[in-house]
Amino acid sequence: MGLLKVGTPKKWDDSKKDLRYIRNAGVHQFLSTYKRVKDFKGDDLLWGDEVEYGIFNIDNSHLRLALRGKEIMDQLNKQEANHLTRNEGCNWVPEYGAWMVEATPSRPYTGYTDDLLRVERNMRLRRKRLLSVLEPYEIAPSVSTFPLLGAVEHVAQQTVPESKVGGDIAESKYISDAIINPHPRFGTLTRNIRSRRGEKVSIKVPLFHDTNTPEFAGAPPADCCGTSGNQVWSYGKHFDEGDDRVLVGCSQNSLDDVNPGAPVTLSKYLVKVEDPSQELKGLYYRSSPGIVVADTDWPRNGDVVVGMELADVPGWVRLQNGYYLPMSSEDGKIDYLFKMKRGTKSTNDGLDRIGPSPMLSAIKGNLKDVPSLSGTIDEDDDDDEDDSPCQPPLPPRSKNLSTDSLPSTLGDFVPAIHMDAMAFGMGCCCLQVTFQAKDVDESRFIYDQLAVLSPIFMALTASTPILRGRLADTDSRWGIISECVDDRTNSERGMVGQTDKDLEMAGKGIRRLYKSRYDSISTYIYQGACLPGKPCASPIQNRVLNKYNDIPVPIDEDHYLKLRSEGIDPALAQHVAHLFIRDPLVVFEGAVSEVDNETQTEHFESIQSTNWQSVRWKPPPPRLKPNDPHIGWRTEFRTMEMQLTDFENAAFTCFTVLCTRAILAFDLNLYLPLSRVDANMQRAHSRNAAQTSKFFFRRHLAPLEEGEDGFGVSFDPVHSEDAKKSSPCDGEEVDQSDDPYFNRRRMPCASGGADENSFEEMSMEEIMLGKGDYFPGLISVVYAYLDLIKCDSLTMERVEQYLELIKRRATGELVTPATWIREFVTGHAEYKQDSVVTEKIARDLMIACNDIGLGIRHEKSLLGDVVKIEPITPAGAYDTKLDSRRLQGNKSTLALLKKYVERSKVPRSSKK
């Protein structure tokens, strides 16, 4: 749970005077760290998982939170200290809720196949040890949420010991402050998020529409979207419809451009210079307005670039590759860039790999053929029509509505489950995996690839269908957490008419921020550039692919320029400057200017650790003591949901690591435009998304040869010898066979042909098992990798069971935990088809989940015949010592001896 520190945290108003210093010092600390460790190379693969547990009390026919998290954690860590000689151990750390604990293996897994078998063993050991300290009436099922959290309408008391709803930390009308972990960081985070925002957080999730759900009285069940998987919950969007309504829409077309779940996208500009002889007069990429980048290419006539106009520097567009372009010549006589109407095609046919590539497909023709070029075109103008009768137009926006990208056409406000505190999101349990890369280059590349996989894996592991004692019309936790820590001010959220400035806060509290600080990533960070000290074959190689970074990336311009001036490449500078549009949320007394910016990273981590994105890139921490272990460049994968059994959690953990190994070994390319990744994140929340939704995914995992159109044609993988001879970025033949990163760096430059052909919508089954003759599927790729490395038979036997589970879940033969939980509730004798999960239903559900995790209960719809979980008990949780200490007291000794003397009197068979 982020950076934990012992000390006295400041209240928000007291900490505001330190915010600017901490932001500047954080960037300084990053630069100091980066310069010190950027050349770390050759680190072995080390990796680990994190699982989180909630402790529930089931005494006296009730279901309540057992607020013993710290007590249990202390007991467990004390036991661990007494068993350090064990090869396998556990590490226990606090989590946000006072009823929660987080557990990791005490030592990381290594890069050998037999360590894949350690994962499940260690998870079972963690469950055993947790069982050993629970009271007889306590359970700790591996579920994502406590189903009755905040359900004040259904349960009189939510906690043991009893606690009163409310408090001055969260100011919630549903939960008590007593459920927040007593560590000072957690309460301060809660209070300061609310203080910075200027009001309580507001979380609204669509309510499941059942036959007797009172909120839907008189309305027939909506089926406008065809299937539940097409319904999109617009989490993070803000509209003034009260606490009991939330906006949803349908994902009906290939680009989601006309539904309220569509991601915010940038403007597109056509490079159009009427007199080609004038083309080079000022039309260069710039590292900042007015500063020419010497080592890069310039855009060509007909190129389409994607970016946003700078409000404070008129006449400049900031591109998503970290560079800038002028909209006209310095004297204003020659216009360079024209804002495009939607649907306009690039005319730079065949040159999409030179300069920033277009988001739209190329068509043949001349500039004169491009329709409707105007600098005043409304971005929401769209010629597409949708006369769907079941989606009424949205009501007029009030002055309090957000300016988030919402078309004025489709969408509807439906009944919502309302929550009002950080605990509803940060009280969710999840499964996370962190990898150590061999060097900084590999860590950044894996960051990008995992970002694409994050919504896919979230949908496949979905396990969160109940909130506040109600069935939700969603299955995943991500958007709940996103809204529960959303500290953006009204202005930052785009609320009309809200312009109050605060000079101490980042962006003065009015910079437009399109996402919560807990959300999907907003920019790729892998830089398609030459390695330090190795000259580029062509200047064009030193650019970040623009076509994939197609959503807004708000940055702190001063931090960005500072990072660039210190030699940080544009992609990474953009990433760090994007992190630092946020304020630190917890400031400790005596730990501001007192922190050494050259050797410590506390201020960097205070902001980095509270940017909770779908993937986190983690530089090596400082070694402050001689015996501190060496830790390299890491990437953390954060979207997977908790599974009911250790087998399932181990399966998805191992599958994740095997996917990363296959991506690296085969130089695979998963890049998608980030707008499509965001669309996938929206879709992944939908009810039963793994079966009913389709997701954007790349058609070819290896770049196509030059000139191919992306439709099932042959291609050379980038790891082949022929592929090492040239780069599609520049078209020049250069032998880079001795450069292990050359093919990987060139990868984003290969689009796979026309833009709309490089990716398509696929079902979960197609993503996992393949489609046609052009896409093999992730499971097939993993099998190929295991064959390549000649995985040993013992490991392969278990891994095949893991892959079989994932395969059957992708095909629908097995269900996600979310679907199983929903079916348990709707099939319960006490359920009244009203979307209400009563205390009786919730208690029976949690006991069933606990029994499944312990191997007491087998559910065929979850596990089929893939595996039968071996029962887990506290027995054997710790080693038993061959103790020689003398028994105290004759009575004890005599009683023990008498017991075995009596046993010796049992009649024995006579020998014949």
Side-chain angles (χ1 to χ4, degrees):
M1 179 61 200
L3 179 69
L4 293 179
K5 176 182 173 66
V6 178
T8 303
K10 296 182 178 183
K11 293 183 177 180
W12 178 250
D13 287 340
D14 296 333
S15 68
K16 284 169 71 173
K17 61 181 175 58
D18 301 317
L19 299 181
R20 178 178 286 110
Y21 177 87
I22 292 174
R23 293 194 303 269
N24 291 334
V27 173
H28 186 138
Q29 290 173 8
F30 169 77
L31 286 167
S32 297
T33 299
Y34 186 82
K35 292 175 181 178
R36 185 174 64 251
V37 300
K38 63 183 175 65
D39 294 325
F40 281 6
K41 295 187 184 301
D43 283 331
D44 293 328
L45 169 64
L46 297 175
W47 55 288
D49 68 88
E50 303 172 24
V51 293
E52 297 156 357
Y53 303 94
I55 316 301
F56 308 144
N57 185 299
I58 57 172
D59 199 18
N60 298 321
S61 300
H62 292 295
L63 176 66
R64 299 174 182 174
L65 295 173
L67 305 184
R68 296 204 311 122
K70 184 179 186 307
E71 176 187 344
I72 286 172
M73 181 191 72
D74 290 343
Q75 284 182 265
L76 289 166
N77 281 327
K78 183 177 179 180
Q79 287 276 46
E80 296 293 337
N82 294 330
H83 292 80
L84 295 178
T85 56
R86 272 290 292 263
N87 193 38
E88 285 291 351
C90 314
N91 185 42
W92 305 88
V93 297
E95 254 300 334
Y96 180 87
W99 73 95
M100 301 169 71
V101 291
E102 178 185 305
T104 63
S106 60
R107 65 183 181 90
Y109 310 126
T110 70
Y112 291 90
T113 56
D114 53 0
D115 269 30
L116 295 170
L117 301 180
R118 283 184 54 205
V119 180
E120 189 177 351
R121 287 201 304 263
N122 193 273
M123 288 180 175
R124 288 174 62 88
L125 180 64
R126 282 173 255 175
R127 199 182 291 259
K128 272 178 174 285
R129 292 186 173 180
L130 181 55
L131 282 175
S132 72
V133 295
L134 296 182
E135 300 291 346
Y137 44 80
E138 290 177 338
I139 59 175
S142 50
V143 294
S144 288
T145 57
F146 178 64
L148 299 179
L149 183 63
V152 292
E153 302 91 342
H154 313 310
V155 291
Q157 184 54 242
Q158 300 180 49
T159 65
V160 176
E162 293 187 1
S163 59
K164 184 179 179 181
V165 170
D168 63 357
I169 297 177
E171 295 185 354
S172 173
K173 61 182 180 181
Y174 304 121
I175 57 102
S176 168
D177 283 351
I179 73 172
I180 301 172
N181 190 299
H183 190 286
R185 168 184 163 87
F186 300 108
T188 304
L189 270 173
T190 306
R191 181 184 282 112
N192 287 357
I193 284 172
R194 176 172 52 79
S195 298
R196 189 189 187 283
R197 178 184 173 97
E199 60 187 12
K200 290 195 298 182
V201 295
S202 180
I203 310 149
K204 296 187 292 183
V205 180
L207 176 66
F208 175 64
H209 187 172
D210 210 342
T211 307
N212 301 324
T213 307
E215 291 85 348
F216 289 94
D223 192 26
C224 299
C225 301
T227 68
S228 60
N230 286 335
Q231 179 171 290
V232 180
W233 166 39
S234 303
Y235 74 89
K237 309 289 184 180
H238 298 272
F239 304 97
D240 191 13
E241 289 296 314
D243 291 344
D244 60 347
R245 310 288 285 180
V246 65
L247 184 69
V248 298
C250 293
S251 172
Q252 291 184 320
N253 61 73
S254 62
L255 291 180
D256 286 358
D257 280 339
V258 294
N259 74 72
V264 178
T265 54
L266 301 175
S267 299
K268 300 176 179 68
Y269 299 87
L270 180 73
V271 179
K272 180 189 176 186
V273 181
E274 296 289 356
D275 182 0
S277 66
Q278 304 296 316
E279 182 175 351
L280 303 182
K281 292 187 177 179
L283 187 54
Y284 295 98
Y285 289 127
R286 316 297 179 96
S287 60
S288 63
I291 301 178
V292 175
V293 180
D295 59 348
T296 189
D297 187 36
W298 58 86
R300 266 68 164 173
N301 255 346
D303 276 347
V304 174
V305 295
V306 183
M308 65 173 70
E309 295 181 45
L310 300 180
D312 52 345
V313 188
W316 286 86
V317 171
R318 184 174 188 279
L319 306 178
Q320 291 308 85
N321 58 7
Y323 292 124
Y324 300 78
L325 280 177
M327 298 190 70
S328 62
S329 60
E330 293 182 8
D331 58 12
K333 294 181 179 180
I334 304 174
D335 291 327
Y336 294 150
L337 305 182
F338 294 84
K339 186 180 272 192
M340 296 175 59
K341 183 178 179 179
R342 287 187 179 181
T344 304
K345 310 297 184 181
S346 169
T347 59
N348 186 10
D349 189 30
L351 292 178
D352 57 301
R353 295 186 178 95
I354 301 178
S357 299
M359 270 298 299
L360 305 177
S361 61
I363 61 172
K364 295 181 179 180
N366 300 314
L367 285 176
K368 64 182 181 180
D369 299 322
V370 180
S372 304
L373 294 177
S374 169
T376 60
I377 291 294
D378 184 354
E379 275 293 273
D380 283 341
D381 183 27
D382 200 309
D383 294 330
D384 295 336
E385 294 182 1
D386 193 318
D387 54 1
S388 173
C390 57
Q391 289 189 325
L394 291 171
R397 301 185 184 188
S398 74
K399 66 178 181 180
N400 294 322
L401 288 181
S402 167
T403 57
D404 274 329
S405 176
L406 175 71
S408 59
T409 52
L410 303 179
D412 198 7
F413 290 97
V414 300
I417 303 168
H418 179 250
M419 295 159 279
D420 66 351
M422 185 174 172
F424 288 102
M426 287 301 185
C428 294
C429 298
C430 68
L431 170 66
Q432 298 175 355
V433 188
T434 300
F435 311 89
Q436 176 176 274
K438 68 169 59 175
D439 53 30
V440 60
D441 186 275
E442 184 177 283
S443 70
R444 292 170 63 177
F445 178 72
I446 284 297
Y447 174 97
D448 286 1
Q449 307 306 306
L450 287 176
V452 176
L453 292 176
S454 58
I456 309 302
F457 281 49
M458 185 174 80
L460 204 53
T461 59
S463 61
T464 316
I466 303 176
L467 301 163
R468 269 197 63 228
R470 306 299 299 275
L471 282 174
D473 209 24
T474 58
D475 275 359
S476 297
R477 79 198 188 286
W478 190 265
I480 304 162
I481 314 178
S482 178
E483 293 192 344
C484 89
V485 296
D486 191 354
D487 69 334
R488 292 176 296 168
T489 65
N490 286 333
S491 295
E492 289 170 336
R493 298 199 307 274
M495 308 301 280
V496 176
Q498 308 289 336
T499 56
D500 292 340
K501 294 183 180 180
D502 190 316
L503 299 181
E504 300 296 337
M505 296 197 323
K508 301 182 177 66
I510 61 172
R511 178 195 287 123
R512 184 69 174 91
L513 306 180
Y514 296 93
K515 295 182 179 181
S516 164
R517 62 198 302 156
Y518 196 118
D519 214 321
S520 54
I521 72 164
S522 292
T523 180
Y524 291 122
I525 67 172
Y526 184 72
Q527 169 78 348
C530 295
L531 290 176
K534 292 191 175 183
C536 288
S538 166
I540 305 175
Q541 288 181 305
N542 192 35
R543 63 175 176 81
V544 182
L545 190 67
N546 189 40
K547 71 193 304 179
Y548 297 128
N549 282 333
D550 68 329
I551 61 175
V553 187
I555 65 167
D556 185 291
E557 294 284 346
D558 291 337
H559 292 327
Y560 178 78
L561 296 177
K562 170 68 174 175
L563 291 159
R564 291 291 287 124
S565 69
E566 295 286 340
I568 307 300
D569 62 76
L572 187 54
Q574 179 170 256
H575 169 71
V576 176
H578 176 61
L579 296 181
F580 278 77
I581 60 173
R582 315 287 180 177
D583 282 313
L585 291 172
V586 182
V587 179
F588 286 91
E589 297 278 1
V592 181
S593 59
E594 295 84 353
V595 176
D596 185 349
N597 294 333
E598 298 299 327
T599 61
Q600 296 177 278
T601 58
E602 184 173 320
H603 294 325
F604 171 74
E605 288 296 338
S606 71
I607 292 177
Q608 153 98 335
S609 66
T610 54
N611 272 273
W612 297 281
Q613 296 180 338
S614 50
V615 190
R616 180 177 284 156
W617 182 69
K618 305 170 79 168
R623 298 178 67 185
L624 302 177
K625 300 176 182 177
N627 292 331
D628 284 351
H630 167 78
I631 299 175
W633 296 94
R634 293 150 298 150
T635 305
E636 182 181 44
F637 189 53
R638 300 174 41 80
T639 57
M640 290 191 293
E641 305 229 319
M642 280 293 286
Q643 307 298 285
L644 296 181
T645 68
D646 299 316
F647 175 83
E648 295 165 279
N649 284 318
F652 282 101
T653 299
C654 292
F655 186 56
T656 302
V657 72
L658 288 172
C659 282
T660 65
R661 297 303 95 189
I663 288 169
L664 292 169
F666 298 140
D667 275 340
L668 301 183
N669 172 9
L670 274 61
Y671 279 104
L672 285 178
L674 278 174
S675 62
R676 301 306 100 214
V677 176
D678 277 1
N680 284 346
M681 284 295 288
Q682 299 276 357
R683 296 177 181 195
H685 285 80
S686 300
R687 177 162 41 95
N688 200 19
Q691 289 310 303
T692 59
S693 289
K694 286 197 172 185
F695 301 92
F696 296 102
F697 212 77
R698 193 171 183 86
R699 292 171 52 83
H700 295 281
L701 297 183
L704 297 175
E705 291 182 297
E706 192 84 14
E708 302 289 11
D709 66 2
F711 282 109
V713 295
S714 61
F715 62 90
D716 285 338
V718 297
H719 58 274
S720 70
E721 290 302 315
D722 289 341
K724 295 180 180 180
K725 299 294 177 63
S726 65
S727 167
C729 293
D730 54 24
E732 298 179 20
E733 285 207 6
V734 180
D735 190 349
Q736 298 282 347
S737 302
D738 60 341
D739 181 354
Y741 296 113
F742 174 71
N743 291 316
R744 197 176 301 152
R745 286 200 312 278
R746 71 189 276 277
M747 186 181 306
C749 301
S751 66
D755 223 31
E756 78 277 12
N757 297 348
S758 64
F759 60 89
E760 64 178 74
E761 292 177 292
M762 297 186 192
S763 67
M764 187 66 73
E765 180 177 358
E766 289 167 340
I767 292 172
M768 291 297 150
L769 300 180
K771 184 175 184 180
D773 62 350
Y774 57 91
F775 181 76
L778 295 180
I779 290 178
S780 299
V781 168
V782 167
Y783 268 116
Y785 171 73
L786 291 168
D787 186 40
L788 174 72
I789 64 172
K790 295 179 172 53
C791 179
D792 64 275
S793 59
L794 182 63
T795 302
M796 194 67 185
E797 180 180 356
R798 196 57 164 180
V799 169
E800 284 189 310
Q801 290 179 307
Y802 293 157
L803 296 177
E804 184 66 18
L805 171 80
I806 295 167
K807 168 190 169 184
R808 295 193 192 184
R809 189 174 288 187
T811 62
E813 183 178 343
L814 299 177
V815 300
T816 63
T819 296
W820 182 86
I821 289 170
R822 191 182 299 277
E823 291 175 350
F824 182 97
V825 171
T826 56
H828 195 281
E830 193 168 294
Y831 181 66
K832 299 178 180 179
Q833 290 75 48
D834 56 0
S835 308
V836 174
V837 182
T838 65
E839 184 173 17
K840 166 70 173 165
I841 298 174
R843 185 176 185 272
D844 290 348
L845 171 65
M846 291 298 99
I847 291 173
C849 290
N850 189 63
D851 289 348
I852 291 170
L854 295 179
I856 298 171
R857 174 173 179 160
H858 181 76
E859 285 291 335
K860 286 191 174 181
S861 62
L862 279 171
L863 298 172
D865 59 1
V866 175
V867 71
K868 187 170 178 60
I869 305 300
E870 290 294 324
I872 300 176
T873 68
Y878 299 97
D879 291 334
T880 301
K881 188 176 182 180
L882 295 173
D883 203 343
S884 61
R885 287 180 300 174
R886 183 177 178 181
L887 284 173
Q888 298 299 315
N890 288 332
K891 288 185 178 181
S892 298
T893 304
L894 291 173
L896 188 60
L897 290 173
K898 184 178 179 181
K899 174 182 176 181
Y900 287 93
V901 168
E902 293 297 323
R903 175 181 292 182
S904 68
K905 295 179 180 179
V906 175
R908 303 177 185 179
S909 60
S910 59
K911 294 182 179 180
K912 293 183 179 180

